[in-house]
Amino acid sequence: MILITGGAGFIGSHTCVALAACSEPFLILDHFGNSRRSVLERMGRITGMVPPCIEGDIRDAGLLRRIFAQYPITEVIHFAALKSVGESVREALRYYDNNIAGTVTLLQAMRAANVRSMVFSSSATVYGDPASLPIREDFPLSATNPYGQTKLMMEQVLADTSASEPGQWRIARLRYFNPVGAHESGLIGEDPQDVPNNLMPYVAQVAAGQRPCLSVFGNDYPTPDGTGTRDYIHVMDLAAGHVAALRYLRQNMGLLTVNLGTGRPVSVLEMVRSFEKASGRPVPYAVVARRPGDVAQCWADPGLAERLLGWKAELDVDRMCADAWRWQNGMARSLLEESALAAH
Ligand code: NAD
Ligand code: WQD
């Protein structure tokens, strides 16, 4: 059985659905700090069974001990983390505590229970401002904010943990590029509890009429249309990447580090046009100043993942937008209305 920390969140919920589709048993551990309990029932509508879930915190060593004692856990996929760059600058200690102390507590509990297999959510943010493109796994690493720093530090903790007991650990550090989109059912998707920080959920809310206008952060970058380019990857492709990593670890000991991206750059304006096409709605935008800390361009060389895992992203930007729109204009809208009613 696979323990999925943060399995109620955006990437975790989609990965659980992908695991259920290949009959992999799993147990979710999540404290719902950035997700809704109702996601479990919606996942159940897709898979035919509400997934088992324990509500709790990865920093709770006693709870982890009980989980490893009670369930036949053999592997962990570790999504649980705080992920807002801006918030991490204002609340650095909270980020270090949740992301680093949380992961160390989890690794200690795993070791005590003799479970030494982990798939870890890292991020392209560990490459900082890349000197050249596309980005390969052996490029220099750096962090420009506490969130990125937690990912860098956790990558190091995992490398050192692996080296501390040679031949015993199986660890995958998956560096996601920009995960977007939603499950094709429209029942689960990205569900920001506040004003979205990321481009795709913001564009989706503008198209849905929930926000008036997108701010495009700069159009004077050295890119074809002047706006920043990124490697957006459909969340179901990313979910499949986790299944592939899990299978790789079952066959191979040691430390795996791979990019999960498409290898195709897409600009902010291309994303806006594609979303307008998918939704049939206008996405009004205004160009404003660059966002501090943003890089001009970022996209993956996904070749290593294809060679080692036999995995490759399949879904294009139009599909990412179509699926995100189905979610935004249906279930996400209902959830927003429910929350607004509950707040009154
Ligand atoms: P998310 O916030 O939607 O999901 C994270 C889940 O973890 C949430 O359900 C939250 O309630 C839970 N959680 C957080 N701290 C916890 C704790 N201490 N104990 C128990 N549960 C806890 O985020 P996501 O987008 O699904 O991201 C998943 C992982 O992928 C994170 O580690 C994130 O840093 C990483 N990542 C995300 C992106 C992205 O753009 N979404 C990009 C690169 C890497
Ligand atoms: C994409 C592009 C913006 C919002 C961030 C984190 C990174 C990772 C993913 C977890 C950029 C532009 C955005 C808006 C805009 N998270 N934009 N208007 O910055 O690549 O990565 O999320 O690991 O750590 O830094 O993604 O979606 O925020 O931005 O013009 O309202 O869209 O300038 O060019 P980013 P993003």
Side-chain angles (χ1 to χ4, degrees), residues 5-13 29-36 56-59 78-83 98-99 102 120-124 147 151 174-179 190 198:
T5 75
F10 172 43
I11 304 167
S13 58
L29 170 63
D30 202 302
H31 65 13
F32 298 104
N34 198 36
S35 45
R36 296 175 206 257
D57 197 300
I58 55 163
R59 290 165 297 179
H78 178 33
F79 293 107
L82 300 174
K83 63 163 182 178
N98 195 83
N99 295 4
F120 174 72
S121 302
S122 190
S123 165
Y147 168 73
K151 290 296 174 195
L174 305 183
R175 295 178 177 157
Y176 314 154
F177 279 67
N178 289 59
E190 190 166 6
N198 295 117

mmCIF file of all heavy atoms in Angstrom, residues 5-13 29-36 56-59 78-83 98-99 102 120-124 147 151 174-179 190 198, ligand 1:
data_model
loop_
_atom_site.group_PDB
_atom_site.id
_atom_site.type_symbol
_atom_site.label_atom_id
_atom_site.label_comp_id
_atom_site.label_asym_id
_atom_site.label_seq_id
_atom_site.Cartn_x
_atom_site.Cartn_y
_atom_site.Cartn_z
ATOM 1 N N THR A 5 0.985 11.447 1.002
ATOM 2 C CA THR A 5 0.820 12.662 1.801
ATOM 3 C C THR A 5 0.384 13.788 0.860
ATOM 4 O O THR A 5 0.851 13.870 -0.276
ATOM 5 C CB THR A 5 2.124 13.072 2.508
ATOM 6 O OG1 THR A 5 3.003 13.635 1.533
ATOM 7 C CG2 THR A 5 2.793 11.900 3.217
ATOM 8 N N GLY A 6 -0.557 14.612 1.329
ATOM 9 C CA GLY A 6 -1.051 15.687 0.460
ATOM 10 C C GLY A 6 -1.886 15.161 -0.693
ATOM 11 O O GLY A 6 -2.064 15.842 -1.707
ATOM 12 N N GLY A 7 -2.450 13.973 -0.517
ATOM 13 C CA GLY A 7 -3.214 13.329 -1.598
ATOM 14 C C GLY A 7 -4.544 13.993 -1.906
ATOM 15 O O GLY A 7 -5.175 13.651 -2.905
ATOM 16 N N ALA A 8 -4.969 14.938 -1.043
ATOM 17 C CA ALA A 8 -6.220 15.646 -1.335
ATOM 18 C C ALA A 8 -5.974 16.914 -2.154
ATOM 19 O O ALA A 8 -6.927 17.561 -2.592
ATOM 20 C CB ALA A 8 -6.926 16.005 -0.021
ATOM 21 N N GLY A 9 -4.711 17.262 -2.347
ATOM 22 C CA GLY A 9 -4.384 18.498 -3.061
ATOM 23 C C GLY A 9 -4.480 18.338 -4.568
ATOM 24 O O GLY A 9 -4.946 17.311 -5.084
ATOM 25 N N PHE A 10 -4.036 19.380 -5.269
ATOM 26 C CA PHE A 10 -4.190 19.425 -6.732
ATOM 27 C C PHE A 10 -3.495 18.227 -7.402
ATOM 28 O O PHE A 10 -4.147 17.377 -8.030
ATOM 29 C CB PHE A 10 -3.628 20.762 -7.233
ATOM 30 C CG PHE A 10 -3.528 20.900 -8.725
ATOM 31 C CD1 PHE A 10 -4.550 20.482 -9.562
ATOM 32 C CD2 PHE A 10 -2.399 21.487 -9.301
ATOM 33 C CE1 PHE A 10 -4.453 20.636 -10.944
ATOM 34 C CE2 PHE A 10 -2.290 21.651 -10.669
ATOM 35 C CZ PHE A 10 -3.317 21.213 -11.502
ATOM 36 N N ILE A 11 -2.198 18.124 -7.259
ATOM 37 C CA ILE A 11 -1.480 17.062 -7.975
ATOM 38 C C ILE A 11 -1.751 15.704 -7.318
ATOM 39 O O ILE A 11 -1.922 14.684 -7.994
ATOM 40 C CB ILE A 11 0.030 17.372 -8.036
ATOM 41 C CG1 ILE A 11 0.253 18.759 -8.670
ATOM 42 C CG2 ILE A 11 0.770 16.306 -8.836
ATOM 43 C CD1 ILE A 11 1.660 19.308 -8.509
ATOM 44 N N GLY A 12 -1.853 15.708 -5.979
ATOM 45 C CA GLY A 12 -2.099 14.460 -5.256
ATOM 46 C C GLY A 12 -3.412 13.810 -5.656
ATOM 47 O O GLY A 12 -3.464 12.591 -5.892
ATOM 48 N N SER A 13 -4.486 14.591 -5.760
ATOM 49 C CA SER A 13 -5.796 13.989 -6.071
ATOM 50 C C SER A 13 -5.771 13.362 -7.466
ATOM 51 O O SER A 13 -6.320 12.278 -7.677
ATOM 52 C CB SER A 13 -6.913 15.033 -5.952
ATOM 53 O OG SER A 13 -6.673 16.131 -6.808
ATOM 54 N N LEU A 29 -2.904 10.816 3.442
ATOM 55 C CA LEU A 29 -2.747 11.563 4.699
ATOM 56 C C LEU A 29 -2.720 13.043 4.327
ATOM 57 O O LEU A 29 -1.847 13.493 3.572
ATOM 58 C CB LEU A 29 -1.434 11.179 5.395
ATOM 59 C CG LEU A 29 -1.033 12.051 6.593
ATOM 60 C CD1 LEU A 29 -2.057 11.967 7.725
ATOM 61 C CD2 LEU A 29 0.360 11.657 7.118
ATOM 62 N N ASP A 30 -3.691 13.802 4.845
ATOM 63 C CA ASP A 30 -3.772 15.221 4.491
ATOM 64 C C ASP A 30 -4.455 15.956 5.635
ATOM 65 O O ASP A 30 -5.373 15.413 6.255
ATOM 66 C CB ASP A 30 -4.588 15.391 3.191
ATOM 67 C CG ASP A 30 -4.289 16.705 2.477
ATOM 68 O OD1 ASP A 30 -4.479 17.778 3.098
ATOM 69 O OD2 ASP A 30 -3.860 16.662 1.309
ATOM 70 N N HIS A 31 -4.022 17.208 5.895
ATOM 71 C CA HIS A 31 -4.733 17.951 6.955
ATOM 72 C C HIS A 31 -5.733 18.953 6.379
ATOM 73 O O HIS A 31 -6.321 19.733 7.106
ATOM 74 C CB HIS A 31 -3.756 18.598 7.940
ATOM 75 C CG HIS A 31 -2.881 19.672 7.363
ATOM 76 N ND1 HIS A 31 -3.077 20.265 6.134
ATOM 77 C CD2 HIS A 31 -1.778 20.275 7.892
ATOM 78 C CE1 HIS A 31 -2.152 21.172 5.922
ATOM 79 N NE2 HIS A 31 -1.342 21.189 6.961
ATOM 80 N N PHE A 32 -5.926 18.924 5.074
ATOM 81 C CA PHE A 32 -6.888 19.775 4.372
ATOM 82 C C PHE A 32 -6.625 21.260 4.602
ATOM 83 O O PHE A 32 -7.539 22.063 4.542
ATOM 84 C CB PHE A 32 -8.342 19.410 4.752
ATOM 85 C CG PHE A 32 -8.715 18.000 4.373
ATOM 86 C CD1 PHE A 32 -8.798 17.010 5.340
ATOM 87 C CD2 PHE A 32 -8.924 17.659 3.052
ATOM 88 C CE1 PHE A 32 -9.108 15.699 4.992
ATOM 89 C CE2 PHE A 32 -9.236 16.347 2.694
ATOM 90 C CZ PHE A 32 -9.323 15.376 3.667
ATOM 91 N N GLY A 33 -5.361 21.606 4.849
ATOM 92 C CA GLY A 33 -5.019 23.020 5.004
ATOM 93 C C GLY A 33 -5.147 23.769 3.688
ATOM 94 O O GLY A 33 -5.388 24.982 3.674
ATOM 95 N N ASN A 34 -4.977 23.058 2.568
ATOM 96 C CA ASN A 34 -5.117 23.714 1.264
ATOM 97 C C ASN A 34 -5.942 22.845 0.310
ATOM 98 O O ASN A 34 -5.661 22.783 -0.882
ATOM 99 C CB ASN A 34 -3.731 24.004 0.662
ATOM 100 C CG ASN A 34 -3.808 25.041 -0.439
ATOM 101 O OD1 ASN A 34 -4.608 25.991 -0.360
ATOM 102 N ND2 ASN A 34 -3.017 24.881 -1.484
ATOM 103 N N SER A 35 -6.947 22.185 0.862
ATOM 104 C CA SER A 35 -7.818 21.346 0.027
ATOM 105 C C SER A 35 -9.137 21.170 0.762
ATOM 106 O O SER A 35 -9.247 21.523 1.930
ATOM 107 C CB SER A 35 -7.160 19.982 -0.235
ATOM 108 O OG SER A 35 -6.609 19.457 0.952
ATOM 109 N N ARG A 36 -10.135 20.628 0.046
ATOM 110 C CA ARG A 36 -11.461 20.434 0.657
ATOM 111 C C ARG A 36 -11.709 18.960 0.898
ATOM 112 O O ARG A 36 -11.345 18.122 0.075
ATOM 113 C CB ARG A 36 -12.559 20.904 -0.304
ATOM 114 C CG ARG A 36 -12.555 22.357 -0.615
ATOM 115 C CD ARG A 36 -13.626 22.600 -1.673
ATOM 116 N NE ARG A 36 -13.318 23.777 -2.445
ATOM 117 C CZ ARG A 36 -13.915 24.947 -2.272
ATOM 118 N NH1 ARG A 36 -14.863 25.079 -1.380
ATOM 119 N NH2 ARG A 36 -13.571 25.981 -3.019
ATOM 120 N N GLY A 56 -4.733 14.413 9.093
ATOM 121 C CA GLY A 56 -3.675 14.671 10.058
ATOM 122 C C GLY A 56 -2.490 15.321 9.395
ATOM 123 O O GLY A 56 -2.482 15.545 8.180
ATOM 124 N N ASP A 57 -1.473 15.591 10.233
ATOM 125 C CA ASP A 57 -0.330 16.392 9.805
ATOM 126 C C ASP A 57 0.920 15.519 9.696
ATOM 127 O O ASP A 57 1.175 14.699 10.590
ATOM 128 C CB ASP A 57 -0.121 17.507 10.852
ATOM 129 C CG ASP A 57 0.738 18.625 10.327
ATOM 130 O OD1 ASP A 57 1.907 18.386 9.960
ATOM 131 O OD2 ASP A 57 0.234 19.766 10.274
ATOM 132 N N ILE A 58 1.703 15.741 8.651
ATOM 133 C CA ILE A 58 2.937 14.948 8.493
ATOM 134 C C ILE A 58 3.957 15.245 9.591
ATOM 135 O O ILE A 58 4.916 14.503 9.761
ATOM 136 C CB ILE A 58 3.606 15.169 7.112
ATOM 137 C CG1 ILE A 58 3.877 16.654 6.870
ATOM 138 C CG2 ILE A 58 2.766 14.582 5.989
ATOM 139 C CD1 ILE A 58 4.870 16.908 5.744
ATOM 140 N N ARG A 59 3.757 16.343 10.332
ATOM 141 C CA ARG A 59 4.702 16.654 11.423
ATOM 142 C C ARG A 59 4.342 15.919 12.709
ATOM 143 O O ARG A 59 5.045 16.045 13.710
ATOM 144 C CB ARG A 59 4.728 18.167 11.662
ATOM 145 C CG ARG A 59 5.393 18.921 10.532
ATOM 146 C CD ARG A 59 5.084 20.406 10.595
ATOM 147 N NE ARG A 59 3.655 20.642 10.419
ATOM 148 C CZ ARG A 59 3.074 21.827 10.438
ATOM 149 N NH1 ARG A 59 3.812 22.907 10.631
ATOM 150 N NH2 ARG A 59 1.775 21.958 10.261
ATOM 151 N N HIS A 78 5.168 11.688 -1.630
ATOM 152 C CA HIS A 78 5.129 12.799 -0.669
ATOM 153 C C HIS A 78 4.863 14.136 -1.361
ATOM 154 O O HIS A 78 5.775 14.805 -1.825
ATOM 155 C CB HIS A 78 6.466 12.820 0.079
ATOM 156 C CG HIS A 78 6.600 13.923 1.073
ATOM 157 N ND1 HIS A 78 5.522 14.407 1.792
ATOM 158 C CD2 HIS A 78 7.675 14.646 1.475
ATOM 159 C CE1 HIS A 78 5.945 15.387 2.580
ATOM 160 N NE2 HIS A 78 7.235 15.549 2.403
ATOM 161 N N PHE A 79 3.567 14.505 -1.396
ATOM 162 C CA PHE A 79 3.170 15.788 -1.994
ATOM 163 C C PHE A 79 3.037 16.894 -0.950
ATOM 164 O O PHE A 79 3.116 18.079 -1.295
ATOM 165 C CB PHE A 79 1.780 15.656 -2.650
ATOM 166 C CG PHE A 79 1.718 14.766 -3.846
ATOM 167 C CD1 PHE A 79 1.105 13.519 -3.776
ATOM 168 C CD2 PHE A 79 2.249 15.172 -5.060
ATOM 169 C CE1 PHE A 79 1.031 12.692 -4.893
ATOM 170 C CE2 PHE A 79 2.178 14.352 -6.175
ATOM 171 C CZ PHE A 79 1.564 13.113 -6.089
ATOM 172 N N ALA A 80 2.747 16.523 0.313
ATOM 173 C CA ALA A 80 2.336 17.534 1.297
ATOM 174 C C ALA A 80 3.403 18.609 1.471
ATOM 175 O O ALA A 80 4.537 18.310 1.857
ATOM 176 C CB ALA A 80 2.049 16.855 2.640
ATOM 177 N N ALA A 81 3.033 19.841 1.178
ATOM 178 C CA ALA A 81 3.940 20.979 1.356
ATOM 179 C C ALA A 81 3.131 22.255 1.204
ATOM 180 O O ALA A 81 2.027 22.243 0.640
ATOM 181 C CB ALA A 81 5.052 20.950 0.300
ATOM 182 N N LEU A 82 3.689 23.343 1.710
ATOM 183 C CA LEU A 82 3.142 24.669 1.400
ATOM 184 C C LEU A 82 3.850 25.131 0.136
ATOM 185 O O LEU A 82 5.043 24.875 -0.038
ATOM 186 C CB LEU A 82 3.403 25.626 2.558
ATOM 187 C CG LEU A 82 2.780 25.226 3.905
ATOM 188 C CD1 LEU A 82 3.249 26.181 5.012
ATOM 189 C CD2 LEU A 82 1.254 25.237 3.819
ATOM 190 N N LYS A 83 3.141 25.849 -0.754
ATOM 191 C CA LYS A 83 3.728 26.073 -2.086
ATOM 192 C C LYS A 83 3.624 27.496 -2.633
ATOM 193 O O LYS A 83 3.883 27.712 -3.812
ATOM 194 C CB LYS A 83 3.085 25.118 -3.081
ATOM 195 C CG LYS A 83 1.599 25.343 -3.260
ATOM 196 C CD LYS A 83 1.057 24.690 -4.518
ATOM 197 C CE LYS A 83 -0.411 24.978 -4.692
ATOM 198 N NZ LYS A 83 -1.006 24.437 -5.894
ATOM 199 N N ASN A 98 6.937 23.389 7.991
ATOM 200 C CA ASN A 98 6.036 22.455 7.305
ATOM 201 C C ASN A 98 6.800 21.586 6.295
ATOM 202 O O ASN A 98 6.660 20.364 6.282
ATOM 203 C CB ASN A 98 4.931 23.229 6.583
ATOM 204 C CG ASN A 98 3.773 22.329 6.178
ATOM 205 O OD1 ASN A 98 2.888 22.033 6.972
ATOM 206 N ND2 ASN A 98 3.807 21.850 4.947
ATOM 207 N N ASN A 99 7.585 22.240 5.457
ATOM 208 C CA ASN A 99 8.167 21.494 4.329
ATOM 209 C C ASN A 99 9.406 20.699 4.731
ATOM 210 O O ASN A 99 9.599 19.574 4.263
ATOM 211 C CB ASN A 99 8.512 22.452 3.186
ATOM 212 C CG ASN A 99 7.267 23.110 2.586
ATOM 213 O OD1 ASN A 99 6.153 22.896 3.073
ATOM 214 N ND2 ASN A 99 7.447 23.909 1.561
ATOM 215 N N GLY A 102 8.588 18.744 8.426
ATOM 216 C CA GLY A 102 7.568 17.743 8.076
ATOM 217 C C GLY A 102 8.180 16.575 7.330
ATOM 218 O O GLY A 102 7.899 15.409 7.634
ATOM 219 N N PHE A 120 9.247 12.010 -4.339
ATOM 220 C CA PHE A 120 9.184 13.344 -3.741
ATOM 221 C C PHE A 120 8.861 14.402 -4.795
ATOM 222 O O PHE A 120 9.438 14.406 -5.887
ATOM 223 C CB PHE A 120 10.538 13.665 -3.088
ATOM 224 C CG PHE A 120 10.634 15.079 -2.565
ATOM 225 C CD1 PHE A 120 9.933 15.464 -1.431
ATOM 226 C CD2 PHE A 120 11.417 16.020 -3.220
ATOM 227 C CE1 PHE A 120 10.006 16.762 -0.954
ATOM 228 C CE2 PHE A 120 11.504 17.329 -2.740
ATOM 229 C CZ PHE A 120 10.793 17.694 -1.604
ATOM 230 N N SER A 121 7.970 15.347 -4.416
ATOM 231 C CA SER A 121 7.599 16.462 -5.292
ATOM 232 C C SER A 121 8.637 17.558 -5.206
ATOM 233 O O SER A 121 8.623 18.364 -4.277
ATOM 234 C CB SER A 121 6.283 17.087 -4.829
ATOM 235 O OG SER A 121 5.245 16.166 -4.791
ATOM 236 N N SER A 122 9.542 17.610 -6.189
ATOM 237 C CA SER A 122 10.411 18.766 -6.276
ATOM 238 C C SER A 122 9.883 19.677 -7.383
ATOM 239 O O SER A 122 8.750 19.494 -7.856
ATOM 240 C CB SER A 122 11.867 18.348 -6.505
ATOM 241 O OG SER A 122 12.702 19.482 -6.365
ATOM 242 N N SER A 123 10.672 20.646 -7.777
ATOM 243 C CA SER A 123 10.142 21.684 -8.663
ATOM 244 C C SER A 123 11.242 22.249 -9.543
ATOM 245 O O SER A 123 12.415 22.303 -9.135
ATOM 246 C CB SER A 123 9.577 22.797 -7.774
ATOM 247 O OG SER A 123 9.356 23.966 -8.516
ATOM 248 N N ALA A 124 10.851 22.716 -10.711
ATOM 249 C CA ALA A 124 11.798 23.400 -11.599
ATOM 250 C C ALA A 124 12.332 24.670 -10.962
ATOM 251 O O ALA A 124 13.320 25.235 -11.444
ATOM 252 C CB ALA A 124 11.119 23.726 -12.920
ATOM 253 N N TYR A 147 10.429 29.286 -0.377
ATOM 254 C CA TYR A 147 9.785 28.078 -0.919
ATOM 255 C C TYR A 147 10.788 27.266 -1.734
ATOM 256 O O TYR A 147 10.955 26.058 -1.534
ATOM 257 C CB TYR A 147 8.565 28.451 -1.788
ATOM 258 C CG TYR A 147 8.073 27.270 -2.588
ATOM 259 C CD1 TYR A 147 7.403 26.222 -1.976
ATOM 260 C CD2 TYR A 147 8.326 27.181 -3.967
ATOM 261 C CE1 TYR A 147 6.996 25.115 -2.702
ATOM 262 C CE2 TYR A 147 7.911 26.081 -4.706
ATOM 263 C CZ TYR A 147 7.244 25.049 -4.069
ATOM 264 O OH TYR A 147 6.854 23.947 -4.794
ATOM 265 N N LYS A 151 12.678 23.348 -1.251
ATOM 266 C CA LYS A 151 12.787 22.243 -2.223
ATOM 267 C C LYS A 151 14.261 21.846 -2.395
ATOM 268 O O LYS A 151 14.589 20.659 -2.427
ATOM 269 C CB LYS A 151 12.178 22.649 -3.570
ATOM 270 C CG LYS A 151 10.671 22.783 -3.549
ATOM 271 C CD LYS A 151 9.959 21.466 -3.268
ATOM 272 C CE LYS A 151 8.469 21.632 -3.094
ATOM 273 N NZ LYS A 151 7.807 20.475 -2.481
ATOM 274 N N LEU A 174 11.271 14.244 -8.223
ATOM 275 C CA LEU A 174 10.636 14.622 -9.489
ATOM 276 C C LEU A 174 10.528 16.141 -9.559
ATOM 277 O O LEU A 174 9.885 16.765 -8.711
ATOM 278 C CB LEU A 174 9.239 13.983 -9.593
ATOM 279 C CG LEU A 174 9.177 12.460 -9.438
ATOM 280 C CD1 LEU A 174 7.745 11.955 -9.646
ATOM 281 C CD2 LEU A 174 10.141 11.752 -10.392
ATOM 282 N N ARG A 175 11.190 16.720 -10.549
ATOM 283 C CA ARG A 175 11.169 18.183 -10.700
ATOM 284 C C ARG A 175 10.084 18.565 -11.695
ATOM 285 O O ARG A 175 10.271 18.478 -12.906
ATOM 286 C CB ARG A 175 12.542 18.672 -11.161
ATOM 287 C CG ARG A 175 13.612 18.427 -10.100
ATOM 288 C CD ARG A 175 14.983 18.864 -10.574
ATOM 289 N NE ARG A 175 15.978 18.679 -9.522
ATOM 290 C CZ ARG A 175 17.280 18.556 -9.745
ATOM 291 N NH1 ARG A 175 17.755 18.620 -10.993
ATOM 292 N NH2 ARG A 175 18.126 18.400 -8.732
ATOM 293 N N TYR A 176 8.927 18.996 -11.131
ATOM 294 C CA TYR A 176 7.794 19.355 -11.983
ATOM 295 C C TYR A 176 8.053 20.714 -12.603
ATOM 296 O O TYR A 176 8.505 21.637 -11.920
ATOM 297 C CB TYR A 176 6.493 19.506 -11.197
ATOM 298 C CG TYR A 176 6.139 18.436 -10.198
ATOM 299 C CD1 TYR A 176 5.319 18.755 -9.124
ATOM 300 C CD2 TYR A 176 6.573 17.122 -10.322
ATOM 301 C CE1 TYR A 176 4.936 17.808 -8.197
ATOM 302 C CE2 TYR A 176 6.201 16.164 -9.402
ATOM 303 C CZ TYR A 176 5.389 16.516 -8.334
ATOM 304 O OH TYR A 176 5.008 15.581 -7.405
ATOM 305 N N PHE A 177 7.650 20.873 -13.849
ATOM 306 C CA PHE A 177 7.650 22.209 -14.438
ATOM 307 C C PHE A 177 6.317 22.877 -14.041
ATOM 308 O O PHE A 177 6.068 22.989 -12.860
ATOM 309 C CB PHE A 177 8.037 22.131 -15.926
ATOM 310 C CG PHE A 177 9.553 22.041 -16.007
ATOM 311 C CD1 PHE A 177 10.218 20.903 -15.520
ATOM 312 C CD2 PHE A 177 10.326 23.107 -16.436
ATOM 313 C CE1 PHE A 177 11.622 20.843 -15.481
ATOM 314 C CE2 PHE A 177 11.719 23.049 -16.416
ATOM 315 C CZ PHE A 177 12.362 21.920 -15.935
ATOM 316 N N ASN A 178 5.466 23.337 -14.934
ATOM 317 C CA ASN A 178 4.275 24.080 -14.474
ATOM 318 C C ASN A 178 3.006 23.242 -14.638
ATOM 319 O O ASN A 178 2.396 23.234 -15.714
ATOM 320 C CB ASN A 178 4.155 25.400 -15.241
ATOM 321 C CG ASN A 178 5.221 26.401 -14.831
ATOM 322 O OD1 ASN A 178 6.409 26.125 -14.951
ATOM 323 N ND2 ASN A 178 4.810 27.547 -14.340
ATOM 324 N N PRO A 179 2.578 22.562 -13.567
ATOM 325 C CA PRO A 179 1.400 21.695 -13.664
ATOM 326 C C PRO A 179 0.112 22.507 -13.807
ATOM 327 O O PRO A 179 -0.124 23.451 -13.027
ATOM 328 C CB PRO A 179 1.387 20.948 -12.323
ATOM 329 C CG PRO A 179 2.694 21.257 -11.655
ATOM 330 C CD PRO A 179 3.170 22.544 -12.221
ATOM 331 N N GLU A 190 -7.603 22.198 -9.988
ATOM 332 C CA GLU A 190 -6.860 23.092 -9.094
ATOM 333 C C GLU A 190 -7.857 23.992 -8.393
ATOM 334 O O GLU A 190 -8.677 24.632 -9.048
ATOM 335 C CB GLU A 190 -5.855 23.918 -9.925
ATOM 336 C CG GLU A 190 -4.889 24.677 -9.054
ATOM 337 C CD GLU A 190 -3.687 25.218 -9.842
ATOM 338 O OE1 GLU A 190 -3.683 25.083 -11.093
ATOM 339 O OE2 GLU A 190 -2.788 25.766 -9.208
ATOM 340 N N ASN A 198 -0.905 31.631 -9.608
ATOM 341 C CA ASN A 198 -0.390 31.073 -10.855
ATOM 342 C C ASN A 198 -1.258 31.484 -12.047
ATOM 343 O O ASN A 198 -2.436 31.808 -11.905
ATOM 344 C CB ASN A 198 -0.304 29.547 -10.751
ATOM 345 C CG ASN A 198 0.704 29.118 -9.706
ATOM 346 O OD1 ASN A 198 0.361 28.488 -8.726
ATOM 347 N ND2 ASN A 198 1.961 29.479 -9.896
HETATM 348 P P1 NAD B 1 -1.705 21.586 -2.972
HETATM 349 O O1 NAD B 1 -1.589 22.665 -1.966
HETATM 350 O O2 NAD B 1 -2.906 21.553 -3.848
HETATM 351 O O3 NAD B 1 -1.606 20.157 -2.256
HETATM 352 C C1 NAD B 1 -0.824 19.940 -1.118
HETATM 353 C C2 NAD B 1 -1.661 19.174 -0.119
HETATM 354 O O4 NAD B 1 -0.853 18.910 1.030
HETATM 355 C C3 NAD B 1 -2.871 19.960 0.370
HETATM 356 O O5 NAD B 1 -4.037 19.150 0.282
HETATM 357 C C4 NAD B 1 -2.533 20.314 1.823
HETATM 358 O O6 NAD B 1 -3.699 20.351 2.641
HETATM 359 C C5 NAD B 1 -1.601 19.194 2.199
HETATM 360 N N1 NAD B 1 -0.613 19.522 3.247
HETATM 361 C C6 NAD B 1 0.264 20.551 3.271
HETATM 362 N N2 NAD B 1 0.999 20.513 4.389
HETATM 363 C C7 NAD B 1 0.595 19.416 5.082
HETATM 364 C C8 NAD B 1 0.983 18.848 6.318
HETATM 365 N N3 NAD B 1 1.898 19.419 7.098
HETATM 366 N N4 NAD B 1 0.361 17.723 6.738
HETATM 367 C C9 NAD B 1 -0.615 17.145 5.976
HETATM 368 N N5 NAD B 1 -1.035 17.655 4.805
HETATM 369 C C10 NAD B 1 -0.430 18.780 4.361
HETATM 370 O O7 NAD B 1 -0.367 21.616 -3.847
HETATM 371 P P2 NAD B 1 -0.026 20.875 -5.213
HETATM 372 O O8 NAD B 1 -0.037 21.876 -6.299
HETATM 373 O O9 NAD B 1 -0.845 19.650 -5.346
HETATM 374 O O10 NAD B 1 1.496 20.509 -4.933
HETATM 375 C C11 NAD B 1 1.893 19.230 -4.465
HETATM 376 C C12 NAD B 1 3.390 19.203 -4.321
HETATM 377 O O11 NAD B 1 4.002 19.512 -5.558
HETATM 378 C C13 NAD B 1 3.962 20.208 -3.330
HETATM 379 O O12 NAD B 1 5.052 19.606 -2.665
HETATM 380 C C14 NAD B 1 4.435 21.337 -4.196
HETATM 381 O O13 NAD B 1 5.469 22.068 -3.603
HETATM 382 C C15 NAD B 1 4.915 20.574 -5.414
HETATM 383 N N6 NAD B 1 4.938 21.368 -6.644
HETATM 384 C C16 NAD B 1 3.819 21.999 -7.053
HETATM 385 C C17 NAD B 1 3.839 22.759 -8.218
HETATM 386 C C18 NAD B 1 2.614 23.507 -8.687
HETATM 387 O O14 NAD B 1 2.763 24.450 -9.451
HETATM 388 N N7 NAD B 1 1.408 23.128 -8.294
HETATM 389 C C19 NAD B 1 5.019 22.850 -8.959
HETATM 390 C C20 NAD B 1 6.145 22.173 -8.523
HETATM 391 C C21 NAD B 1 6.100 21.434 -7.348
#
